[in-house]
Amino acid sequence: MNVNGNFKDNLMGKKKVIFIICLIFAVALIAAILHMVSGGGKDSAKNILYADKVSVITGNGSGTVNRFAGVVEAQDTLKISLSEGQKVKEIFVEKGQEVEPGTKLFEYDTEELAMTLEQGNLELEKIGNSISNLNSQIAALTTEKKNAPAGEQLSYTTQIQELQTNVKQEEYNYKVKELEVNRTKKSLESSTVTSTIAGIIQEINPDPGYDDYSGEKQAFMSILSTGKYRIKGKISEQNIGELQPGMDVTVRARNNQEEIWKGSVDVIDTEKPESSSQSEMYSGSDSSARATKYPFYVTLETSDGLMLGQHVYIEPGTGVNTEGLHLMTAYIVDADGKEPYVWVANKKDRLEKRNVKLGAYDEEQDTWEITEGLKETDYIVWPDGECKEGAAVQKNENVQAGGMEEGE
């Protein structure tokens, strides 16, 4: 028996097996690396879809909806400005005071106006005398021209034309000064200014400056009209997309949230940011980043029952569909077909199709009532080309409905 030969054969066989195992492992490792590099790695971040909670999307989470803080203000404002040179002698009202048509507001300082009027009349008289003098010179030159020899006719003509031009200039100066005098007379005759509307004194600027945003001179006095109101709210740059001009909104009284008014967003003034704050806290988030706020305004169908300066809540939507689950059509695939469905994140954070049964359609809100197949606790994804069965899903669990009160 050749013991050494058998031993060598066994050793060679073991080395061969180990080599094959190592080779298989190396190939598998390279394949795995190539698979990950080519985008097939486990849940590549760029392929992860984000899902939002149904209660947040529908605004039914915790019995509330996303809302913004607002305040009732006058729809119209009367602004009174001072003309150049006008001074105020006495103010009869104060900020916050209610006024009615005919209420005395302030009185001009007429002493300086009287002096201005007197000076204006003197200048008018001076200009009038100058015109008369020029016309007399023209008449005299015209007479002399008739008896002058032919060689001097051109000289007389030139002098007369120059005087006529001077007359026209003086006549223009007279008209300008006459307008100033008449304006001063009118100011003297109405030295006491009265309110033409019912309202509340919003501001009084004894020494009007210039607006920081528009560059326009401030009004001396502003009066907010009472009786016809609008709502002013604020929205931050992070969630400004939640509102659009023309969108229907519901306004709720803070002290009685069952008391509501209907309206629509009139304008979002992105040209005039009002404030920045380091305490812009969003529900479910500990973010304290600085956020710029922009004012927006809501026009109401009726303002009956509202008070000027009253604080309210502004909620997107008409306040209907408070019962049941109503989902925007955009989230439903094949909503008009036989088998409508939505993309749902399952318990393993993977995407799956979920057939739903639809009830009534709300044309005004563009929503469908979901009668079966979906719960408020489910998480769904906005349908697009990236939605595929089994795709990785990231649930936005930090975002909750309600509690968002912008502008406070």
Side-chain angles (χ1 to χ4, degrees):
M1 179 180 294
N2 188 349
V3 177
N4 291 333
N6 290 336
F7 176 77
K8 289 180 179 180
D9 289 341
N10 291 335
L11 182 61
M12 289 298 292
K14 288 181 180 179
K15 287 183 177 179
K16 189 174 183 180
V17 171
I18 294 172
F19 174 76
I20 293 172
I21 292 173
C22 291
L23 182 62
I24 293 173
F25 177 77
V27 172
L29 181 60
I30 293 171
I33 293 173
L34 291 175
H35 183 62
M36 293 179 68
V37 172
S38 64
K42 184 179 178 180
D43 301 343
S44 177
K46 67 179 181 180
N47 293 325
I48 292 179
L49 299 170
Y50 292 89
D52 293 303
K53 201 170 186 179
V54 172
S55 61
V56 173
I57 296 170
T58 60
N60 291 331
S62 304
T64 60
V65 297
N66 291 345
R67 59 189 180 182
F68 305 86
V71 64
V72 180
E73 67 173 28
Q75 181 77 21
D76 301 312
T77 303
L78 174 64
K79 294 187 176 183
I80 303 173
S81 300
L82 300 179
S83 300
E84 192 67 32
Q86 284 184 321
K87 293 184 179 180
V88 175
K89 179 180 181 181
E90 186 177 1
I91 301 174
F92 304 114
V93 293
E94 59 185 17
K95 186 176 180 179
Q97 179 178 333
E98 294 187 17
V99 297
E100 298 293 335
T103 300
K104 291 171 61 177
L105 301 176
F106 62 92
E107 181 181 3
Y108 288 113
D109 185 346
T110 57
E111 182 177 351
E112 187 170 337
L113 283 174
M115 293 179 62
T116 300
L117 178 62
E118 183 177 355
Q119 180 66 31
N121 284 329
L122 288 174
E123 291 182 20
L124 279 178
E125 184 177 352
K126 181 179 178 181
I127 296 172
N129 290 335
S130 175
I131 293 173
S132 296
N133 184 39
L134 290 170
N135 284 328
S136 297
Q137 293 181 50
I138 291 172
L141 288 172
T142 301
T143 301
E144 292 177 12
K145 179 183 176 181
K146 292 179 181 179
N147 301 320
E152 297 179 4
Q153 289 292 314
L154 180 59
S155 176
Y156 277 102
T157 300
T158 302
Q159 293 180 63
I160 292 172
Q161 289 177 343
E162 183 177 351
L163 290 171
Q164 288 174 336
T165 299
N166 292 340
V167 169
K168 290 181 179 179
Q169 180 62 49
E170 288 293 85
E171 287 175 343
Y172 172 77
N173 293 339
Y174 189 92
K175 289 180 180 179
V176 172
K177 181 56 64 176
E178 190 175 39
L179 287 174
E180 293 179 6
V181 169
N182 289 336
R183 191 180 299 118
T184 305
K185 282 182 180 179
K186 188 175 181 180
S187 297
L188 276 171
E189 292 169 358
S190 56
S191 59
T192 301
V193 179
T194 59
S195 177
T196 58
I197 63 171
I200 296 177
I201 304 297
Q202 181 188 29
E203 61 177 350
I204 300 175
N205 298 307
D207 186 18
Y210 290 87
D211 186 87
D212 293 335
Y213 293 107
S214 65
E216 298 177 355
K217 191 171 184 179
Q218 295 175 324
F220 168 70
M221 186 177 292
S222 297
I223 305 174
L224 292 176
S225 174
T226 54
K228 190 176 181 181
Y229 302 131
R230 67 177 180 178
I231 308 297
K232 178 183 179 180
K234 292 181 184 178
I235 188 168
S236 70
E237 56 189 326
Q238 280 92 342
N239 62 338
I240 196 169
E242 293 187 18
L243 296 179
Q244 294 86 34
M247 176 185 285
D248 291 329
V249 295
T250 300
V251 176
R252 295 185 187 273
R254 287 200 175 193
N255 57 347
N256 179 12
Q257 295 192 37
E258 297 300 318
E259 191 175 8
I260 64 173
W261 293 262
K262 304 295 182 183
S264 61
V265 177
D266 181 33
V267 64
I268 302 174
D269 196 349
T270 56
E271 298 298 321
K272 295 182 180 179
E274 289 205 344
S275 63
S276 295
S277 173
Q278 290 185 326
S279 60
E280 294 296 317
M281 303 296 291
Y282 290 88
S283 177
S285 172
D286 61 356
S287 172
S288 59
R290 182 176 296 273
T292 301
K293 288 183 178 179
Y294 302 95
F296 69 91
Y297 300 91
V298 173
T299 300
L300 300 168
E301 293 179 2
T302 176
S303 57
D304 295 343
L306 286 170
M307 298 181 294
L308 193 64
Q310 180 179 348
H311 290 270
V312 296
Y313 291 126
I314 306 166
E315 301 173 358
T318 60
V320 297
N321 294 340
T322 54
E323 297 182 1
L325 183 59
H326 299 263
L327 186 64
M328 289 183 290
T329 302
Y331 277 97
I332 305 170
V333 182
D334 200 21
D336 297 326
K338 294 181 179 180
E339 296 185 354
Y341 64 90
V342 293
W343 288 105
V344 181
N346 62 24
K347 294 180 180 180
K348 296 181 179 180
D349 290 342
R350 296 288 173 174
L351 200 61
E352 65 178 33
K353 285 184 180 180
R354 177 83 62 79
N355 290 105
V356 292
K357 186 174 289 187
L358 305 182
Y361 174 66
D362 187 332
E363 184 176 358
E364 184 177 354
Q365 298 298 311
D366 191 25
T367 59
W368 285 92
E369 181 183 7
I370 308 295
T371 59
E372 289 183 20
L374 196 64
K375 303 186 298 294
E376 291 184 355
T377 54
D378 288 327
Y379 284 79
I380 62 175
V381 173
W382 185 276
D384 60 22
E386 297 293 326
C387 292
K388 297 178 182 178
E389 289 273 8
V393 178
Q394 175 69 52
K395 295 176 181 176
N396 292 326
E397 298 185 52
N398 288 332
V399 181
Q400 302 174 6
M404 184 184 292
E405 297 172 9
E406 288 286 347
E408 296 202 83

